[in-house]
């Protein structure tokens, strides 16, 4: 078979597949809304101190890192860490200064997205009792649509430093 014929068949196959691919992908607004709903649920988890929500928002193989150098792999490890964190008085002493806001959602493909959020808090204390001070946090999410559901597969929490 010559190269032109193979190229022609490949092109025909691709052209024929495009309508099916487009029909399978939700409109960008619906996909963006679905991504945002997962981020809202994740944020609610922190407000309600309910680590079990991690099972609904994090992928089983999530890579998660906070600004203090804790890096975890896997949803069970993140849930265990958050459950302990949420019981600590020094964590719960934080007060919201700027409510969490999703500042950007970018659909990279029908099954992949990235997003950013920002928030600020104060009143949290360190293990030695000293004040953390004003925390301005920026969170980067990478999300994947798996089994028809959007899940967070990577999360990086970063704090601004003076």
């Amino acid at each position: 078979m010559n190269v032109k014929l193979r190229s022609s068949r490949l092109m025909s196959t691709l052209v024929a597949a495009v309508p099916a691919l487009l029909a399978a992908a939700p409109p960008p607004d619906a996909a963006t809304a679905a991504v945002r709903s997962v981020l809202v649920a994740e944020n609610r988890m922190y407000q309600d101190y309910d680590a079990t929500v991690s099972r609904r928002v994090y992928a089983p193989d999530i890579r998660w890192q906070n600004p203090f150098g804790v890096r975890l792999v896997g949803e069970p490890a993140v849930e265990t860490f958050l459950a302990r964190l949420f019981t600590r008085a020094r964590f719960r002493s934080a007060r919201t200064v700027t409510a969490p806001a999703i500042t950007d959602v970018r659909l990279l493909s029908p099954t992949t997205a990235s997003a950013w959020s920002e928030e600020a808090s104060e009143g949290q204390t360190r293990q030695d009792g000293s004040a953390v001070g004003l925390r301005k946090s920026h969170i980067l999410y990478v999300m994947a649509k798996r089994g028809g559901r959007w899940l967070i597969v990577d999360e990086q929490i970063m704090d601004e430093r003076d």
Side-chain angles (χ1 to χ4, degrees), residues 21-140:
L21 290 172
L22 292 175
D29 289 342
T32 299
V35 166
R36 284 180 173 275
S37 71
V38 171
L39 299 178
V40 167
E42 193 243 9
N43 194 297
R44 194 86 211 143
M45 172 181 69
Y46 281 91
Q47 292 174 2
D48 295 343
Y49 307 111
D50 183 1
T52 63
V53 172
S54 67
R55 298 174 204 159
R56 294 192 318 268
V57 298
Y58 294 142
D61 59 343
I62 185 171
R63 296 326 191 236
W64 183 94
Q65 185 167 330
N66 74 11
F68 304 104
V70 175
R71 185 171 194 275
L72 303 168
V73 177
E75 184 281 323
V78 177
E79 181 179 355
T80 298
F81 175 81
L82 291 176
R84 281 194 313 260
L85 178 69
F86 292 163
T87 65
R88 295 180 186 157
R90 62 182 186 271
F91 177 79
R92 293 179 78 122
S93 65
R95 293 174 311 282
T96 299
V97 173
T98 305
I102 301 164
T103 57
D104 185 48
V105 173
R106 185 172 172 211
L107 297 174
L108 305 171
S109 79
T111 60
T112 310
S114 65
W116 283 94
S117 71
E118 298 177 347
E119 60 189 70
S121 64
E122 63 184 358
Q124 189 174 349
T125 57
R126 294 183 181 86
Q127 196 165 0
D128 66 5
S130 63
V132 171
L134 179 64
R135 284 188 63 196
K136 293 181 181 177
S137 300
H138 305 271
I139 302 123
L140 172 63

